[in-house]
Amino acid sequence: MIYAKSDPVETLKEHTEKVMDNYYKIKAMYGDKIQNIVEDENFWDLLEIICFYHDFGKVYTPFQNEIRKRLKMELLETEFKNDIPHGYLSPAFLDFKDINLKYGRDNYVILVQVIGFHHERDREIEDLSKFQKVLQQDLMKNIEKLNVEFGIELKNPNIKYINYMKQLVRIKERDKDYKKYVMLKGLLHRIDHSASAHVDVEIKAEASIADKTRDYITKKMNSKPRAPQNFTLKNRDKNIVMIASTGIGKTESALLWIGEEKAFFTLPVRVSINAIYKRIFDEIGYKEVGLLHSTSFDFLSKEGYNDSFEKYEISRQLSYPVSLSTIDQLFTFPFKFKGYEKLYATLAYSKVIIDEIQAYSPKIAAVILKGLQMINDMGGRFMIMTATLPRIYKEYLEQFNIDFEFACFNSDIKRHKVNVREAPIDEEVELIIEKAKKHKVLVIVNTVRKAVDLYNTIISKESVKGNIDVNLLHSLFIQRDRFEKEDRIKNYDKNGIWITTQIVEASLDIDYDVLFTELSTLDSLFQRMGRCYRRREYTLEEPNVFIYHNNSSGIGSVYDRDIFQISLIKIREYNGCLLDEKQKVDMVDEIYSKEVLKGTNYLREFDDAIKFLDSVFDYDLDKRDAQRQLREIANVKVIPVEEYENNMELFEEYYNEKDYNKKRQKLLQIKQFTMDVPFYRVKNYLAPTQITGIFVVRLKYDNEVGLYVGEEISNFV
C-alpha cells in the first residue's frame, strides 16, 4: 500500500481518485470556456495526464517512511534520506516517447514543469549523480507497486526531464506557452487542493445568481430593473466601468451582470462583505455563495449558518460559483508569487467585480488595475463599480487598449448640506452632544488615537453621563468585540453617538442623521457622506454634514498631504451648499486627473507601484510576501495579555490536540481573541505563544475602548 497523507490517513490511490473526480467535475462545468482561453484541442488530455501522475513521486521510500513513522508502522529499508521533494520525482514516470509522439516536445516540457513544480520549492536539483541513483535504486524498485495499485503498466523511470526542471528555464510570461502553462498548473492546484480538503473543486448552483436576483427584484421588492441594472444586463459579455450613486442598486446590477458564470465580488471592508453575504444568502435566497476573508469562519459561526466549517472550507478552495472576497485574498497574483497560477487561472474563466475602487490607496489600486489587465489578457472579464472614480484609473485601462463599456448613473436626490468648520473637531464636542440629543450622530476621524481621545473627551462630560449613549469603533478591537460592535452600529435605532474611523466608509449599509467628520481626501469624504442620509432626501436649512480640516489627524500618514490640500480648496467652494451626486463625481474626476496630480506623492506612489509590477520577476516571492505587499504594512496577529491569561486553557488544549479538524476548530476559537496590529506599533510589547504567528501583546485592553497602545502591562507571567 502506498500512502499519500497521514492526517487523515489516505492512500495514493484514494487521493488520486479524488483528484480525477475533481478533474472530471471542472471539465464538465467549464470545459469549453477554459479550452477557448487556451485554444489548444489537447488541453484536457494534458490536464488529465498531469492529474494522474502528479503525486507518483510519493512512492519514494523515504517519503513513505515519513508517513509510516507518523502512523507508528515499521519503516522500509532504504539508504536514502527524504531530501528530494516528491514533485521533483513524479515526472520521472512520464513516458517521454509516447507524449512526444502524441503531443510534441513542447507539451512534454509543460507537463514536466506543471507536475514538478506543483509544490513550489526553493531547492534546485544539483547532484545529478545522486538523482540518477535514486531513480535506479529506489523508484525503479517501487515501480511495480504503482503498477499493482493502479492497474497500469508504467515503464522504467527516466532522468531526461531533469534539464527542464531548472529555475532558469521555467516557463514565464513572455514564453509562447505561458497561457497554457498557467491554466494547467493553476487548475492542478485547484483540483489537488480541493481533493486534499475533501470538497468538490466546483459547486453547481441550482439556479443562476442572475435569475435569483431578477426574482428578488420583481417578486420580493415588487419592482423592475433600474437603468444601471438594464445597462449591466445588456453588456453581460463585456467589461464594464460604472459610476453609480449610493442606493441606486449597484449590487443587484453586478449580480445580474454575472449571469450564469463563475464570479468573484470584491469589497474593501470585511463588514461590508459580511452584510452582502447575508443579503445574497438570506434575502435573495442564493445559497451557493462563498465568503473569503481572514475572519469568514468566525462570521459564519457567529451568525449561525449551518455547516459553517464546510462553507468556510469550500470558500477557501474557490469552489462556489459566486464568492465574496477581500482584495488580499485574490489580487496577490500580479506579484507572481510561487503558486500564483491557482488564482490567476481561476479568475481567467470567471467574472471579477471590483466595488468601490476609490476606497483603496494608490498602491493597492495599481495592483488591482494591473490584475484586471492580466485577467483581460487571459480572456476573463471584469466590472468596476463605484460611487466616484479617479480619472487616472480609467485612463490606465484606456492606455492598454482594454475594451470596456462606461456609464454613469447619478441619483437626483440631494442628501448632504455641508458646513466646513474652522475649529478642530475636538473643540466642538458640545455641538456633537447637542445634535445627539435628537439625532443619530456619526463621527468619523482619521486615526484610532483621535477616535479614542474624542471618545474619552465626550464621555467625560457631565451632560453626557447617563443621558446620551456613546460608542466607539475602530480597528484595534479583538475579533469578538469588533463583530459585536459592527452588529450594533448597523442596527442602531436610537439617538446617540458613534465615534469611528474610516473602517465604516466603504459599502457599510448604515444611515445616520448627522455626520461630523475630519476632512480626509474628497473620495474618502464622499464615502463618509454615504453613511448619512443614505437613501433620504435632505430638505432642512441647517447642515447635516460638518467637516473639520483644522488639525486633522493622519495627514501625511493615512492620507496624502497634497490631495488633502487640493480637497480642502475644492470643498470650500461648496460650503453651505446642498451637494448633488454629479457634483461629487465631477470633483473627484477633476482632482484625480494627471494634470492636477502632477508632482504629488499620490501619483508617484501609483506610478511606482505599476512600474514595480511590470518588472516583477516570476516566482521571486512566496504568497505571504505577496499578501504583505498588498496589505501595504507588516501586521502581526496579537492577543491582549488579559485575554490570553483568561483563555490559557484553550491554548493548552490546542497545543495538545492531535486530531487535525479539532485542532483547527480550536485555532478558530482562539482567533476570536486576536486582532491584527501594525508591527511597528507593538514591537516592543510582544511575547510568543504556543502558536506560531500569534503573539501576546503586553498592553492594556478594554472592550469599550480597544487596545491602549503605549500603556504597558508589566506583571505578565
Side-chain angles (χ1 to χ4, degrees), residues 16-171:
T16 304
E17 285 172 348
K18 288 186 175 73
V19 166
M20 297 313 298
D21 284 346
N22 273 333
Y23 160 80
Y24 290 117
K25 281 187 175 77
I26 201 168
K27 181 181 179 183
M29 290 181 65
Y30 297 106
D32 292 341
K33 185 173 179 63
I34 291 171
Q35 189 155 321
N36 288 337
I37 292 171
V38 179
E39 298 177 338
D40 186 327
E41 62 182 9
N42 296 316
F43 177 84
W44 289 104
D45 290 345
L46 297 174
L47 185 57
E48 185 173 14
I49 294 168
I50 288 166
C51 289
F52 187 69
Y53 281 86
H54 80 285
D55 265 354
F56 276 15
K58 288 183 175 180
V59 78
Y60 183 42
T61 304
F63 182 92
Q64 288 299 301
N65 277 344
E66 285 294 322
I67 295 180
R68 295 172 77 90
K69 194 187 303 179
R70 292 175 202 156
L71 300 179
K72 295 182 171 48
M73 297 175 67
E74 184 181 350
L75 300 186
L76 305 171
E77 222 178 278
T78 181
E79 65 177 280
F80 300 110
K81 295 179 180 178
N82 189 32
D83 56 359
I84 300 176
H86 72 267
Y88 286 11
L89 297 172
S90 294
F93 297 101
L94 292 170
D95 188 328
F96 172 77
K97 288 184 180 178
D98 185 55
I99 291 169
N100 195 43
L101 185 64
K102 285 183 182 177
Y103 306 110
R105 179 184 164 279
D106 288 346
N107 280 325
Y108 175 76
V109 173
I110 292 173
L111 293 182
V112 166
Q113 292 199 9
V114 171
I115 293 173
F117 294 115
H118 81 273
H119 291 293
E120 294 282 356
R121 308 293 186 203
D122 293 326
R123 283 179 280 173
E124 291 266 17
I125 298 170
E126 295 175 349
D127 190 347
L128 289 182
S129 61
K130 177 188 174 182
F131 207 76
Q132 180 78 57
K133 194 175 178 183
V134 166
L135 263 61
Q136 291 175 344
Q137 296 182 22
D138 191 280
L139 297 192
M140 186 85 75
K141 180 180 69 175
N142 287 318
I143 201 167
E144 190 56 31
K145 292 181 182 178
L146 287 167
N147 286 334
V148 170
E149 187 144 330
F150 287 89
I152 53 178
E153 293 183 15
L154 290 174
K155 296 181 180 177
N156 292 338
N158 70 78
I159 199 170
K160 291 180 180 178
Y161 72 95
I162 291 301
N163 290 330
Y164 308 127
M165 289 287 295
K166 301 288 186 184
Q167 291 288 343
L168 283 174
V169 298
R170 286 194 67 170
I171 297 166

Side-chain angles (χ1 to χ4, degrees), residues 218-231:
T218 56
K219 296 175 183 177
K220 289 190 179 180
M221 302 296 292
N222 196 26
S223 183
K224 58 182 181 179
R226 301 178 187 179
Q229 293 153 13
N230 286 325
F231 171 73

Side-chain angles (χ1 to χ4, degrees), residues 490-504:
K490 285 188 295 181
N491 300 304
Y492 201 64
D493 59 358
K494 60 183 178 180
N495 297 334
I497 302 169
W498 273 90
I499 301 168
T500 69
T501 59
Q502 60 269 34
I503 63 169
V504 303

Side-chain angles (χ1 to χ4, degrees), residues 413-418 435 439 513-514 532-533 535-546 578:
I413 298 175
K414 294 183 178 182
R415 302 175 293 134
H416 304 120
K417 188 168 187 177
V418 301
K435 288 291 183 183
H439 301 91
D513 302 323
V514 184
C532 171
Y533 266 72
R535 295 181 180 86
R536 299 175 283 165
E537 187 158 13
Y538 192 71
T539 57
L540 302 178
E541 285 300 314
E542 65 267 20
N544 64 340
V545 177
F546 297 86
L578 190 60

Side-chain angles (χ1 to χ4, degrees), residues 70 200 262 284 432 459 624 648 672-673:
R70 292 175 202 156
D200 289 344
K262 188 176 180 70
I284 295 177
I432 296 172
I459 63 171
R624 191 169 295 176
M648 284 183 71
Q672 287 283 313
F673 306 104

